[in-house]
Amino acid sequence: CIGVFEVVKFHTKRHRASKMRVLLTGGTGYIGSHTAIALLEQNHDVLLFDNLSNSQRHTVDRIRHITGKQAPFVQGDIRNTDLLTQTLRDFQADAVIHFAGLKAVGESVEQPIAYYANNVQGTISLLQAMQQCCVYKLMFSSSATVYGKPQYLPLDEAHPTSATNPYGRTKLHIEEMLQDLAASDACWKIICLRYFNPLGAHASGLLGERPNGIPNNLMPYIAQVAAGSLPFVQVFGNDYPTPDGTGVRDFIHVCDLAEGHAAALPFLHAQNGWHAINLGTGKGTSVLELIKAFAEANEIDVPYRIMPRRPGDVDACFASPAKAHNILGWKAQRDIQEMCKSAWLWQTMQG
Ligand code: NAD
Ligand code: UFG
């Protein structure tokens, strides 16, 4: 934690923070593409680096269409250290935001090697490339999953960390590796942003989340049920100790999340060392509340059925967003209705 004096000092510097050149690994993915827009809108220069394993090249054109600015794109894998080094050099990057990685919990249980190779080995390769080019500012996409089973709520950054699956363990390993790195050399400035549950899509309907196959996550599943591609939402458990018995999560609009990265850039520039910061709303919403909000916001039927609990799920998980507010001056602005409307617009524009 930084003290009040440092926060005041930081806020003074924040107004003076200048334009930065930022390389986004995983820049054409769901969160990366929305963040690219938030950064371009704040006049930063952005380069998108992605192997397109879970995104599409046309995202680059859509970002240009939305912002009127061309972000250069390099197709490549983060494990290709030479390509990353060359790209960082050519672009003269000041900072990296590291989104690239695999993210499906179930898949990580079946294919742990792929997850450690992509996420952990990929991050090591990125750090080596950054070190070679003396680029020492890094923001990393971490997750609320590093808190494991909540011991208290809301979850603040001091909550103990643990992992319950290989995906979560890759996030935890990377966070620990980054802590070691920051402790080893005072040049490094590192922020781990711990996302809660991102939902929704850009208001244009041009960007959003595109899951492969049957969605694992709740919102894309709801959207596909509403579209008639799936018959009903399976509500995993209604006997949790929550107000309506269904799971409670901190759903955050992806554009708010993206703006959180933009708000964190001046802090990244000004501070040294390693910091973990939650990006959430602080508000818990249940699975049934989300289904009903989606149906009401879009005036559409969303059939659902109560099913047994999904193994590994926790009853409730929501953030204390106080640190992000105090240090970054950032707060989520958009409500559940906006998340539901934008998710449906994105779904309908997919055809
Ligand atoms: P995404 O799959 O849409 O984006 C990730 C991008 O990284 C994709 O475009 C993919 O093609 C690319 N990529 C994957 N492996 C790569 C590699 N080896 N080299 C280069 N590019 C590679 O996922 P997202 O939802 O945008 O998530 C971004 C980050 O945020 C991930 O690290 C994820 O673990 C983390 N996160 C996501 C959520 C969520 O619910 N979406 C929650 C918490 C944390
Ligand atoms: N749920 C259903 N039916 C579904 C899908 C989900 O009832 O078809 C329920 C789950 O049981 C849970 C809630 O909806 O109660 C949210 O589930 P998600 O799968 O959408 O999200 P999780 O909270 O399980 O996990 C997500 C990401 C993780 C990330 C975490 C951060 O998948 O990678 O948010 O909080 F780490």
Side-chain angles (χ1 to χ4, degrees):
C1 281
I2 65 174
V4 174
F5 178 62
E6 281 83 356
V7 173
V8 171
K9 256 191 352 198
F10 165 65
H11 278 293
T12 318
K13 281 183 187 166
R14 189 147 66 96
H15 298 295
R16 280 191 259 121
S18 50
K19 172 171 166 150
M20 287 172 78
R21 300 178 64 76
V22 191
L23 183 148
L24 310 190
T25 73
T28 47
Y30 174 47
I31 304 171
S33 58
H34 287 83
T35 303
I37 288 171
L39 297 183
L40 289 166
E41 283 174 347
Q42 290 199 3
N43 219 23
H44 296 291
D45 289 321
V46 165
L47 181 142
L48 310 165
F49 187 99
D50 203 299
N51 66 1
L52 301 181
S53 60
N54 197 33
S55 55
Q56 290 168 302
R57 188 181 278 271
H58 68 220
T59 302
V60 181
D61 303 324
R62 294 184 179 192
I63 292 170
R64 189 190 56 229
H65 182 83
I66 291 167
T67 62
K69 293 176 185 168
Q70 178 71 55
F73 170 66
V74 174
Q75 182 171 353
D77 195 292
I78 51 169
R79 286 165 290 179
N80 184 342
T81 317
D82 291 342
L83 179 62
L84 265 177
T85 307
Q86 194 58 47
T87 308
L88 283 165
R89 258 201 202 117
D90 292 349
F91 181 58
Q92 298 183 330
D94 298 309
V96 173
I97 308 185
H98 178 30
F99 299 98
L102 302 178
K103 62 167 184 176
V105 172
E107 190 182 64
S108 79
V109 176
E110 287 155 20
Q111 303 171 31
I113 295 174
Y115 273 69
Y116 287 108
N118 234 284
N119 297 5
V120 180
Q121 191 184 330
T123 302
I124 294 171
S125 162
L126 170 65
L127 295 171
Q128 287 169 332
M130 289 176 70
Q131 200 161 38
Q132 281 187 50
C133 303
C134 302
V135 177
Y136 292 116
K137 300 187 187 93
L138 174 68
M139 225 182 276
F140 170 61
S141 291
S142 189
S143 164
T145 195
V146 300
Y147 293 121
K149 189 174 161 44
Q151 296 174 15
Y152 59 83
L153 290 169
L155 290 159
D156 58 28
E157 292 81 355
H159 186 283
T161 53
S162 66
T164 53
N165 55 65
Y167 165 73
R169 241 179 310 279
T170 66
K171 291 292 174 194
L172 207 50
H173 285 340
I174 295 168
E175 280 209 2
E176 288 167 350
M177 207 160 72
L178 295 176
Q179 270 176 279
D180 288 341
L181 185 60
S184 74
D185 183 342
C187 288
W188 285 95
K189 296 163 181 262
I190 299 173
I191 303 179
C192 293
L193 293 175
R194 294 175 176 166
Y195 310 154
F196 280 69
N197 291 53
L199 295 188
H202 191 263
S204 62
L206 292 174
L207 297 175
E209 187 176 14
R210 182 193 289 271
N212 282 328
I214 295 178
N216 293 310
N217 296 117
L218 182 58
M219 181 56 104
Y221 204 104
I222 292 175
Q224 292 199 15
V225 169
S229 320
L230 293 166
F232 55 87
V233 180
Q234 308 182 61
V235 174
F236 296 136
N238 69 345
D239 57 352
Y240 285 109
T242 59
D244 64 18
T246 65
V248 165
R249 294 291 183 277
D250 188 337
F251 299 112
I252 175 168
H253 196 297
V254 67
C255 293
D256 277 322
L257 195 73
E259 288 164 12
H261 293 75
L265 261 192
F267 180 69
L268 185 69
H269 182 68
Q271 297 299 311
N272 288 316
W274 178 95
H275 303 267
I277 303 179
N278 287 339
L279 291 184
T281 66
K283 187 176 177 300
T285 301
S286 77
V287 173
L288 276 186
E289 282 172 335
L290 188 69
I291 294 172
K292 285 177 184 158
F294 188 96
E296 273 171 34
N298 299 306
E299 297 178 0
I300 193 162
D301 232 27
V302 182
Y304 66 86
R305 275 190 209 162
I306 306 296
M307 309 295 283
R309 290 182 179 192
R310 185 171 68 176
D313 273 349
V314 299
D315 50 1
C317 172
F318 51 92
S320 163
K323 190 171 176 184
H325 189 214
N326 293 338
I327 293 182
L328 311 180
W330 168 89
K331 217 175 180 176
Q333 304 292 333
R334 296 160 179 88
D335 61 13
I336 290 282
Q337 197 194 37
E338 206 171 335
M339 296 180 214
C340 292
K341 281 192 162 177
S342 61
W344 182 231
L345 176 65
W346 164 247
Q347 176 70 38
T348 51
M349 297 216 3
Q350 301 306 293

Tab-separated table of all heavy atoms in Angstrom, residues 126-127 130-131 135-138 181-182 184-190 271-274:
chain	number	residue	atom	x	y	z
A	126	LEU	N	8.425	-12.519	-22.695
A	126	LEU	CA	8.131	-11.083	-22.788
A	126	LEU	C	9.076	-10.282	-21.881
A	126	LEU	O	9.631	-9.252	-22.294
A	126	LEU	CB	6.668	-10.831	-22.385
A	126	LEU	CG	6.262	-9.373	-22.191
A	126	LEU	CD1	6.334	-8.604	-23.508
A	126	LEU	CD2	4.844	-9.261	-21.616
A	127	LEU	N	9.289	-10.773	-20.674
A	127	LEU	CA	10.146	-10.050	-19.726
A	127	LEU	C	11.586	-10.000	-20.247
A	127	LEU	O	12.278	-8.982	-20.105
A	127	LEU	CB	10.099	-10.713	-18.345
A	127	LEU	CG	8.724	-10.651	-17.659
A	127	LEU	CD1	8.705	-11.516	-16.393
A	127	LEU	CD2	8.344	-9.214	-17.311
A	130	MET	N	11.671	-7.386	-22.915
A	130	MET	CA	11.583	-6.037	-22.335
A	130	MET	C	12.924	-5.633	-21.717
A	130	MET	O	13.382	-4.503	-21.887
A	130	MET	CB	10.465	-5.990	-21.272
A	130	MET	CG	9.059	-6.061	-21.864
A	130	MET	SD	7.770	-6.134	-20.603
A	130	MET	CE	7.849	-4.476	-19.927
A	131	GLN	N	13.539	-6.596	-21.016
A	131	GLN	CA	14.824	-6.303	-20.364
A	131	GLN	C	15.881	-5.922	-21.408
A	131	GLN	O	16.635	-4.975	-21.220
A	131	GLN	CB	15.260	-7.530	-19.574
A	131	GLN	CG	16.272	-7.221	-18.497
A	131	GLN	CD	16.321	-8.335	-17.470
A	131	GLN	OE1	16.212	-9.513	-17.819
A	131	GLN	NE2	16.482	-7.988	-16.201
A	135	VAL	N	12.797	-1.694	-21.540
A	135	VAL	CA	11.397	-1.267	-21.331
A	135	VAL	C	10.984	-1.890	-20.004
A	135	VAL	O	10.894	-3.117	-19.889
A	135	VAL	CB	10.483	-1.765	-22.483
A	135	VAL	CG1	9.025	-1.384	-22.217
A	135	VAL	CG2	10.951	-1.197	-23.806
A	136	TYR	N	10.773	-1.046	-19.004
A	136	TYR	CA	10.608	-1.570	-17.644
A	136	TYR	C	9.214	-1.353	-17.064
A	136	TYR	O	9.001	-1.632	-15.890
A	136	TYR	CB	11.631	-0.909	-16.714
A	136	TYR	CG	13.053	-1.307	-17.009
A	136	TYR	CD1	13.991	-0.367	-17.437
A	136	TYR	CD2	13.474	-2.632	-16.862
A	136	TYR	CE1	15.306	-0.727	-17.702
A	136	TYR	CE2	14.775	-3.004	-17.134
A	136	TYR	CZ	15.686	-2.055	-17.556
A	136	TYR	OH	16.981	-2.422	-17.819
A	137	LYS	N	8.285	-0.843	-17.882
A	137	LYS	CA	6.930	-0.579	-17.359
A	137	LYS	C	5.974	-1.641	-17.888
A	137	LYS	O	5.828	-1.785	-19.110
A	137	LYS	CB	6.442	0.807	-17.787
A	137	LYS	CG	7.325	1.932	-17.289
A	137	LYS	CD	6.700	3.291	-17.608
A	137	LYS	CE	7.665	4.398	-17.268
A	137	LYS	NZ	8.505	4.808	-18.415
A	138	LEU	N	5.344	-2.340	-16.975
A	138	LEU	CA	4.486	-3.467	-17.370
A	138	LEU	C	3.194	-3.488	-16.566
A	138	LEU	O	3.207	-3.401	-15.333
A	138	LEU	CB	5.232	-4.792	-17.137
A	138	LEU	CG	4.426	-6.072	-17.369
A	138	LEU	CD1	4.094	-6.251	-18.851
A	138	LEU	CD2	5.195	-7.298	-16.870
A	181	LEU	N	10.849	-9.953	-9.649
A	181	LEU	CA	11.547	-9.111	-10.616
A	181	LEU	C	11.633	-7.671	-10.103
A	181	LEU	O	12.713	-7.052	-10.130
A	181	LEU	CB	10.793	-9.147	-11.950
A	181	LEU	CG	11.438	-8.436	-13.106
A	181	LEU	CD1	12.802	-9.016	-13.434
A	181	LEU	CD2	10.536	-8.532	-14.345
A	182	ALA	N	10.520	-7.147	-9.595
A	182	ALA	CA	10.502	-5.767	-9.091
A	182	ALA	C	11.450	-5.623	-7.897
A	182	ALA	O	12.096	-4.585	-7.732
A	182	ALA	CB	9.080	-5.361	-8.714
A	184	SER	N	14.150	-7.295	-7.520
A	184	SER	CA	15.539	-7.504	-7.940
A	184	SER	C	16.174	-6.261	-8.551
A	184	SER	O	17.384	-6.128	-8.596
A	184	SER	CB	15.601	-8.635	-8.976
A	184	SER	OG	15.095	-8.165	-10.214
A	185	ASP	N	15.335	-5.368	-9.072
A	185	ASP	CA	15.874	-4.230	-9.816
A	185	ASP	C	14.876	-3.072	-9.744
A	185	ASP	O	13.728	-3.212	-10.195
A	185	ASP	CB	16.077	-4.673	-11.279
A	185	ASP	CG	16.705	-3.594	-12.135
A	185	ASP	OD1	16.681	-2.413	-11.724
A	185	ASP	OD2	17.198	-3.934	-13.225
A	186	ALA	N	15.318	-1.965	-9.186
A	186	ALA	CA	14.413	-0.824	-8.935
A	186	ALA	C	13.925	-0.158	-10.222
A	186	ALA	O	13.036	0.689	-10.184
A	186	ALA	CB	15.123	0.205	-8.065
A	187	CYS	N	14.477	-0.556	-11.373
A	187	CYS	CA	13.999	0.020	-12.639
A	187	CYS	C	12.565	-0.392	-12.951
A	187	CYS	O	11.834	0.325	-13.615
A	187	CYS	CB	14.845	-0.477	-13.802
A	187	CYS	SG	16.461	0.235	-13.821
A	188	TRP	N	12.202	-1.596	-12.499
A	188	TRP	CA	10.909	-2.143	-12.918
A	188	TRP	C	9.750	-1.430	-12.243
A	188	TRP	O	9.802	-1.146	-11.043
A	188	TRP	CB	10.830	-3.642	-12.619
A	188	TRP	CG	11.631	-4.451	-13.576
A	188	TRP	CD1	12.908	-4.892	-13.397
A	188	TRP	CD2	11.228	-4.901	-14.878
A	188	TRP	NE1	13.329	-5.588	-14.501
A	188	TRP	CE2	12.318	-5.615	-15.423
A	188	TRP	CE3	10.065	-4.782	-15.643
A	188	TRP	CZ2	12.270	-6.194	-16.688
A	188	TRP	CZ3	10.015	-5.370	-16.897
A	188	TRP	CH2	11.107	-6.060	-17.410
A	189	LYS	N	8.711	-1.181	-13.048
A	189	LYS	CA	7.455	-0.602	-12.550
A	189	LYS	C	6.363	-1.550	-13.033
A	189	LYS	O	6.129	-1.648	-14.244
A	189	LYS	CB	7.230	0.785	-13.145
A	189	LYS	CG	8.285	1.825	-12.742
A	189	LYS	CD	8.224	3.023	-13.697
A	189	LYS	CE	9.269	4.053	-13.336
A	189	LYS	NZ	8.751	5.144	-12.537
A	190	ILE	N	5.721	-2.230	-12.112
A	190	ILE	CA	4.809	-3.315	-12.506
A	190	ILE	C	3.475	-3.199	-11.771
A	190	ILE	O	3.444	-3.025	-10.550
A	190	ILE	CB	5.449	-4.690	-12.199
A	190	ILE	CG1	6.755	-4.850	-12.989
A	190	ILE	CG2	4.460	-5.816	-12.505
A	190	ILE	CD1	7.559	-6.088	-12.659
A	271	GLN	N	5.270	5.483	-10.502
A	271	GLN	CA	5.657	4.696	-9.328
A	271	GLN	C	6.735	3.671	-9.649
A	271	GLN	O	6.889	3.267	-10.794
A	271	GLN	CB	4.433	3.944	-8.774
A	271	GLN	CG	3.342	4.865	-8.293
A	271	GLN	CD	3.800	5.768	-7.166
A	271	GLN	OE1	4.385	5.309	-6.200
A	271	GLN	NE2	3.545	7.057	-7.301
A	272	ASN	N	7.417	3.209	-8.596
A	272	ASN	CA	8.341	2.093	-8.766
A	272	ASN	C	7.774	0.872	-8.074
A	272	ASN	O	6.868	0.983	-7.259
A	272	ASN	CB	9.696	2.429	-8.147
A	272	ASN	CG	10.425	3.447	-8.992
A	272	ASN	OD1	10.458	3.335	-10.218
A	272	ASN	ND2	10.977	4.441	-8.353
A	273	GLY	N	8.340	-0.281	-8.386
A	273	GLY	CA	7.989	-1.495	-7.659
A	273	GLY	C	6.776	-2.192	-8.232
A	273	GLY	O	6.386	-1.966	-9.386
A	274	TRP	N	6.199	-3.060	-7.414
A	274	TRP	CA	5.111	-3.960	-7.827
A	274	TRP	C	3.840	-3.579	-7.081
A	274	TRP	O	3.895	-3.337	-5.865
A	274	TRP	CB	5.510	-5.385	-7.464
A	274	TRP	CG	4.493	-6.443	-7.784
A	274	TRP	CD1	4.451	-7.201	-8.915
A	274	TRP	CD2	3.409	-6.899	-6.948
A	274	TRP	NE1	3.404	-8.093	-8.851
A	274	TRP	CE2	2.750	-7.925	-7.653
A	274	TRP	CE3	2.926	-6.537	-5.687
A	274	TRP	CZ2	1.636	-8.597	-7.145
A	274	TRP	CZ3	1.819	-7.203	-5.181
A	274	TRP	CH2	1.193	-8.226	-5.910
